[in-house]
Amino acid sequence: MGITQLQLAEKMRKLSALLLNKLSLYIFSKYEISTALSFYLRLVSLVFIVSIAGILYQFNDLFLIDQVYDPDQPMYGIYFNLFSFIPVSFFKYFLYFSLVSSVALFFFVLPFWLLFFNFIVYTSLILLFPTFMSFQWDILMVETLLFSLLLVHPLKLRLNLKAPYVVSYLQLLPILMLMVRLFFHSGVVKLLSNDFLWLTQSVLDIHLFSQPLPHFLSFYIHALIVHLNLSSFLTQLMFIFELILPFFLLIPMYRKFAASLLIFFQVLIILTGNYGFFNFLVISILVLLLLINQSSELFFFKTSNKYIRGSFMVLLFVLILNSVVVMVSPLNKALIFPTEFSKLRLFNRYGLFANMTTNQTRYQIHLSNDGILWNRLPLKHFNSKGFPNLTFLQPYHPRIRWQLWFKFINEYQYPLWYQSLIKLIAKDPNSLPSITVPDLTLSGGYQYIKLCYQSIVFNYDRRLLFDSNYWLPIDKERCHTYDVSKETFYVNDISF
């Protein structure tokens, strides 16, 4: 007998009811996150302490070099701008207070307000130092701090995470989708770059020595990859980790599996290069996703004020919708209030190393008063011959050193921050302690500065020693001379 229209309609009704029930259970599911939140808040506070401490150490140098702030002009382009209320000279005290607040956050004191305060401090830092605070981990820090506010109640003076702590899946979705977006964008931009090394899957033949700050393990891991011919295999595996695995974070059954593998992926990156606090921050978020526990019950926000409940639901809807739109493609912007969210530094696109460099740079600075007798300026993160030190620096992030790597890519371009750096060195070589090694024999007030560059790669033939056990020059040294009085760079007598 055939199925009548009435029976078909009944089956469709049951199927619709089942799908609606499953969707409701997925969207409005309850999560117990007391253990997860305790680990997460403590890890994020530690990462933030390291970040702010590093910035404090470099603050004076960054302020001297990144001369973009005009005290007579207000700073725009960002919400919650501290400089609308305080002078820049007073801002350093806020950084110290931010350290104290992060310690309090470690012990779950005023979590909502301290997360919000640190968010304001960090966005103000990005505004103050646009050259040196424009890295993707800085943007990730801002998004992490703001999305974390969804997990804690503003009226809680101190969290008691020994007792059960329950949130809705909707509260977790923005930070969960931030992780999916971070990894997915990182893979997509590589595929869309049309870079030969990505297309041929040979990127790991060069990446570990050409990256901004390799450390000593980079040397040995690179040797292992080349010796075993693993570049193609590991590149394919990386694309699986970045393009496919993150979406399993959205599936409760596979979330712990995906989070564990992605944490392992971050540990591998830490073992192969210095990327500041970036990977440690990513691990902090993944630990949260690893430890959350889903309940079979539904969870609706309980509050006596229906207007607060309704406003919070609208906010979550906007955040989740924008997260979906931006996650799909690195080219997309937030669908709802794009300008407003850009001023909050939210819904950013991610993706490092879309286009690969193929060498590392040997770098030396020489100073002279007459252009004949030259004195070498010792630099941090480089040895006495200008070869990069393979030091394990993370989670500390030497921001000027990182920016120099980008400068080396365009050797014949001299951005304003680089010109400021050179002028400050000529005036007083000991004035920038975060990048120069103090040398009392250097007086200051120099007329000429010689900047020498040379392309280098890892040296695996120890019979060929070039003042370094790790590096091998692959071309001739190229020197640019800066005339302080004329404010002009010369290369082979050609001025720039």
Side-chain angles (χ1 to χ4, degrees), residues 251-280:
I251 306 174
M253 183 184 303
Y254 300 107
R255 183 175 295 126
K256 292 183 184 298
F257 170 75
S260 299
L261 286 182
L262 290 172
I263 290 172
F264 173 70
F265 182 41
Q266 296 305 296
V267 172
L268 289 180
I269 296 174
I270 290 171
L271 293 177
T272 56
N274 286 297
Y275 292 94
F277 61 83
F278 184 37
N279 306 108
F280 297 92

Side-chain angles (χ1 to χ4, degrees), residues 42 72 97 103 109 126 131 142 189 210 239 306 371 399 432 436-437 440 444 463 494:
R42 284 181 167 163
D72 297 324
F97 185 75
V103 174
V109 177
I126 292 174
T131 300
V142 168
V189 297
S210 66
F239 277 121
K306 62 181 180 180
R399 294 178 179 273
L432 302 170
T436 62
V437 178
L440 298 180
R463 295 170 299 178
I494 300 175

Side-chain angles (χ1 to χ4, degrees), residues 164-356:
Y165 190 89
V166 176
V167 297
S168 166
Y169 182 55
L170 293 176
Q171 294 170 263
L172 289 164
L173 259 180
I175 200 164
L176 193 159
M177 297 178 76
L178 171 62
M179 280 293 92
V180 178
R181 171 163 37 107
L182 171 70
F183 285 105
F184 183 65
H185 283 191
S186 297
V188 169
V189 297
K190 296 179 178 72
L191 291 178
L192 297 179
S193 68
N194 289 322
D195 187 281
F196 175 79
L197 291 167
W198 288 119
L199 295 177
T200 58
Q201 301 175 18
S202 57
V203 67
L204 289 179
D205 290 337
I206 56 95
H207 173 61
L208 295 189
F209 63 74
S210 66
Q211 63 181 317
L213 273 178
H215 53 63
F216 68 97
L217 289 178
S218 310
F219 180 86
Y220 297 103
I221 294 175
H222 179 265
L224 182 66
I225 292 173
V226 173
H227 178 71
L228 298 179
N229 196 25
L230 294 174
S231 180
S232 179
F233 167 73
L234 292 178
T235 302
Q236 294 170 20
L237 190 62
M238 181 216 66
F239 277 121
I240 293 174
F241 273 76
E242 292 186 342
L243 296 173
I244 300 175
L245 189 60
F247 289 95
F248 285 89
L249 293 172
L250 299 169
I251 306 174
M253 183 184 303
Y254 300 107
R255 183 175 295 126
K256 292 183 184 298
F257 170 75
S260 299
L261 286 182
L262 290 172
I263 290 172
F264 173 70
F265 182 41
Q266 296 305 296
V267 172
L268 289 180
I269 296 174
I270 290 171
L271 293 177
T272 56
N274 286 297
Y275 292 94
F277 61 83
F278 184 37
N279 306 108
F280 297 92
L281 180 58
V282 175
I283 288 174
S284 302
I285 302 172
L286 290 171
V287 166
L288 170 70
L289 303 180
L290 175 68
L291 297 179
I292 57 177
N293 293 306
Q294 183 184 20
S295 169
S296 58
E297 303 175 20
L298 298 182
F299 181 85
F300 295 94
F301 304 103
K302 297 179 180 179
T303 176
S304 57
N305 191 319
K306 62 181 180 180
Y307 297 107
I308 294 178
R309 182 171 64 248
S311 300
F312 190 51
M313 289 294 292
V314 170
L315 173 63
L316 288 175
F317 172 78
V318 171
L319 293 178
I320 292 169
L321 179 60
N322 280 339
S323 295
V324 172
V325 171
V326 177
M327 181 182 67
V328 171
S329 171
L331 302 178
N332 291 349
K333 295 182 179 180
L335 183 64
I336 303 175
F337 306 127
T339 302
E340 286 69 22
F341 281 116
S342 68
K343 290 182 179 180
L344 288 170
R345 297 300 190 265
L346 292 185
F347 304 115
N348 306 282
R349 65 178 185 178
Y350 294 93
L352 292 171
F353 303 115
N355 297 105
M356 300 300 297

